Amino acid sequence: MSFVSVAFLCLVPASFLLYHATSRLAVQNLIILAASYVFYGWWDWRFLPLLVGISIVNYVAAILIATARQPVRKLLVFVAVAAAMVVLAIFKYFNFFVDSFGAIVHRAGLNPNLPTLRIVLPLGISFITFQGIAYVVDVYRGKHAAEKSLVKFLAFKAFFPQLVAGPIERASNLLDQFSAPRRFTSDHADRALWLLIYGYAMKVVVADNLAPIVDTLFIPEQPFGWSVVLATLAFGIQIYADFNGYSLIAKGIALLFGFELIWNFRYPYWSVSISEFWRRWHISLSTWLRDYLYIPLGGNRGGELITNRNLLLTMALGGLWHGASWTFVLWGLLHGAALAIRRKFSGGDEPGSKADRAAGWALTMLVVFVGWFLFRAADWNLLIGMLSALKRWEWAPVHGAVVLAILSLTCPLMLLEWQLQSRGDYFLLRWPAWMKYPLFAVLVAVTAAASGHVNATFIYFQF
Amino acid sequence: MPLKRTIQAIASWPLIDAIRIVARKFVPVAALAALVLGVAHYIYQQGKHQWSRGVETYIVLEQIRRAERLPAADLAFLGDSSCLMGIHIPTLLQAFPGSDVESFCTIGFVGPDGYGAMLDKMIARGHQPRKLVLVFNPIQYERDPRWNEWANFIRTDHFEAPSSLSFPAGGLEYIRLLMERAVYNPLPGGYAVYYGGKDQFISTIWREHGSAIDPNRMLDIPSLQAYKATLPGHVFFKPDPKIKPYVMNAEFEMALLALSKSLSKFDRSKVYLVITPVNSLYAQGGPQSFHTEAGERIAALLGIDRSQFLDTPDMMLDIMYAHYPAHLHRWSRIIYTEELAKALADRGVLGSATDD
């Protein structure tokens, strides 16, 4: 079930009414669990057992880890992480590895008949498995107690606002909220209202309007270099609006049930260095990669060479997490290399002077948007076709149209983000009613108008 | 007392509290949003908006608008999409400096009857051109009576019934159309790659004096010179035997007679005829039948002298065509228009054509 579907717009009020009809925590948790399974099963009910199975394996593994002693604990955490990786490998990467192996042996002159599976990728499988890994590792490290209540744990794993595209919530934030009484106050409603309006506007008005433009320009037969540049810019804005829009909606929906989700984005396109970008972009993934991959690999403790290796490996695997394609690996390697270069030349300090910050911003955006080009050109045919267009720099009528579309959508967004950063995330809520409500109403009307026009799914649902 | 207790119990029920909180925050926004949509709906209804969806409709609507707004030209073209995409007016303007040339060519669906309707409108407004070139492609010869709606569209200015969307759909549509002014909705296929959206397509038609580019081929060739360099070695393909020969049907002839009526209000000695070339692959029956003989037959039906049938190429190489078999692409249309300019100069239709 998508956040931009009628079914979802029915599920939320129905579960809201049921949830607030009782103040008993256990019943509320059950309602959340039921709503979450309806949400997930609506897409394809056959994958519900997989979600339940992964959750139960994490639940049991954590309890066993908590009660066992070394070296059994270590073995258990290894088995639990390996089980999650196997699920991911089968559903997401099996055909990718088989195809890649086939390509290698084909080059060697062999033509083996390798098996491929016709597998449907379960929605949000990468988020679900990463959250599970974080939980069992946290229990192993003693950072969180193993949850005893199965209902609480299942509800935590399946909590529908964050189930299919994150944020990858840690147990220390989300699971603990299932144990404490949750209040729904006027402040929750206020913030939920703003986040829902803002999130849906980002998704429907900005991302979904750019989606068909990007789709028509990212084609292997692309004749114009300018189209490559402008399509990449448009895609960078689309993916941000799409994913941040989703995260804001998730946060807003969670607030309606008294839950607080983390901020997954903190104005990433205002970053003046690549490391700052990763502190602002998809925060729950970047912190996950840091805590469960980069630091266990040795982090920055083994000298420059080892640190750079760790950065490249972490980001390459982070790229592969997004999708089973070598262009995602390239995207990750680009970011890893940029992080390593920045580390070498800046020593980790952020730019200070205005000129340095401006140059830092320009360089960061160059890396980020070149990365988006690799990210969007998800197969070699498309990548090579688009790159070959860079030989031809003709300004066609479409280019003026794309520039106008990008400016029309980003200028208001930039202005809003500038204000949000300087005045606070909810500054609009402090405005008098006669100012804020008409503004909200216009945003709702514009979003409603745009919603009938395009029908794009959330980009990150595929991950 | 029990009633009071019941009311108190209900009021303290967490659900009531939650609903009250949500209603206090969400209902004013919903009500104001409905008001915004109501205002937008009202404006939308006042605008008597007509649906215009699809490249064909954009072309016809825009050429009608141009015919209404532009002053009388020295030479005007009326014809189908082989003219729209195949005759490059800026090339003619370059060949005949000081001349005012405009194309009002549309699409084959409009047909001779529709071109007549366009001419009638120009005459009624006193904007009729001093000279007129009628352009047909052989693919038009087999006309379908259902296409007559397009000619009626030009006569009545109503292609489809004005939209009658109810609230809130009208309001939503109005806001969406406003948004489309800034954020374009991509046209289909290659049109999105070259033009982007409707506004850019339309402004190209205006900028090119009524010509347009079929963007389905040769966008990756940056110049006419570069294109000409690719031509050597290409030969005419033999006609595909599966293609039917071009034969005029009764419907087409009837449409020509309707056009002839409109021409009666015009000086026929200043009307010229062009049959645009076909891709050699589609040239079943030979150029004699679909070009020379057909041209003479059309001239006769329109009541114009056969000498006013301009001598232009009858067939062209496959590499000169865009996706559609009658549309030249952006470079070959210039090559063809240069040939046409020579013919116009030879007949003295326009003066001072350069020989090159």
Side-chain angles (χ1 to χ4, degrees), chain B residues 34-331:
Chain B
L35 186 67
V36 170
L37 289 177
V39 172
H41 182 73
Y42 176 76
I43 301 170
Y44 177 77
Q45 280 188 321
Q46 298 306 304
K48 295 187 173 62
H49 178 78
Q50 274 192 68
W51 288 101
S52 61
R53 293 279 175 270
V55 173
E56 290 98 344
T57 330
Y58 300 148
I59 292 167
V60 177
L61 275 172
E62 214 48 40
Q63 293 291 43
I64 292 173
R65 207 169 295 169
R66 291 182 70 255
E68 285 170 354
R69 290 187 192 169
L70 291 175
D74 294 331
L75 178 70
F77 287 82
L78 278 173
D80 56 24
S81 58
S82 72
C83 164
L84 178 81
M85 308 289 187
I87 296 176
H88 185 230
I89 303 301
T91 300
L92 289 179
L93 292 172
Q94 219 175 351
F96 303 103
S99 298
D100 182 11
V101 184
E102 294 291 341
S103 168
F104 301 100
C105 294
T106 49
I107 53 172
F109 293 145
V110 167
D113 189 9
Y115 314 148
M118 294 270 280
L119 184 62
D120 285 344
K121 285 194 163 197
M122 291 186 214
I123 292 169
R125 287 190 173 82
H127 289 182
Q128 70 268 34
R130 278 171 276 285
K131 290 177 182 174
L132 179 68
V133 180
L134 296 168
V135 185
F136 301 94
N137 186 270
I139 204 160
Q140 268 203 61
Y141 296 168
E142 196 174 312
R143 187 161 175 81
D144 188 316
R146 286 173 299 181
W147 301 344
N148 292 339
E149 276 187 27
W150 287 86
N152 295 337
F153 165 42
I154 294 170
R155 291 201 189 282
T156 60
D157 274 340
H158 286 294
F159 181 55
E160 288 177 35
S163 165
S164 56
L165 291 175
S166 57
F167 178 83
L172 292 170
E173 177 69 1
Y174 178 74
I175 296 172
R176 202 191 61 68
L177 288 170
L178 273 185
M179 285 167 65
E180 216 175 282
R181 306 284 286 274
V183 184
Y184 74 94
N185 187 21
L187 293 169
Y191 287 85
V193 175
Y194 184 74
Y195 296 106
K198 170 190 156 192
D199 289 350
Q200 293 69 39
F201 181 54
I202 287 170
S203 61
T204 304
I205 291 177
W206 278 86
R207 198 173 53 246
E208 294 213 339
H209 301 267
S211 323
I213 287 174
D214 184 324
N216 286 301
R217 212 168 168 193
M218 296 293 162
L219 290 184
D220 54 343
I221 303 290
S223 67
L224 181 60
Q225 268 185 323
Y227 171 67
K228 280 181 174 169
T230 67
L231 282 175
H234 285 276
V235 292
F236 284 116
F237 289 128
K238 281 188 181 159
D240 184 341
K242 282 178 276 182
I243 304 285
K244 280 200 303 180
Y246 300 108
V247 178
M248 275 181 233
N249 66 4
E251 199 65 40
F252 181 71
E253 292 191 348
M254 274 167 59
L256 285 171
L257 292 174
L259 171 58
S260 180
K261 267 189 196 167
S262 300
L263 291 179
S264 63
K265 300 168 212 162
F266 199 82
D267 181 354
R268 284 182 206 264
S269 69
K270 289 177 178 168
V271 178
Y272 299 88
L273 177 65
V274 167
I275 306 292
T276 48
V278 301
N279 184 334
S280 63
L281 258 176
Y282 294 81
Q284 197 63 256
Q288 184 66 21
S289 67
F290 62 74
H291 193 88
T292 318
E293 289 167 10
E296 285 168 0
R297 171 100 181 117
I298 292 170
L301 285 165
L302 293 178
I304 58 177
D305 192 84
R306 57 191 297 176
S307 66
Q308 286 159 252
F309 173 33
L310 298 178
D311 184 25
T312 54
D314 47 26
M315 283 196 310
M316 291 187 106
L317 297 166
D318 179 65
I319 195 178
M320 302 187 101
Y321 283 85
H323 175 67
Y324 190 67
H327 293 180
L328 297 172
H329 56 66
R330 63 171 175 165
W331 302 125

Side-chain angles (χ1 to χ4, degrees), chain A residues 85-95 117 119:
Chain A
M85 298 313 287
V86 165
V87 169
L88 211 50
I90 292 172
F91 281 99
K92 194 161 178 173
Y93 300 110
F94 183 82
N95 288 343
L117 299 177
I119 302 172

Side-chain angles (χ1 to χ4, degrees), chain A residues 20-21 186 190 392 394 398, chain B residues 13 15 25 193-194 220 330:
Chain A
H20 289 291
S186 180
D190 252 341
R392 299 178 291 270
E394 179 185 343
V398 65
Chain B
W13 197 25
L15 178 62
K25 306 293 176 189
V193 175
Y194 184 74
D220 54 343
R330 63 171 175 165

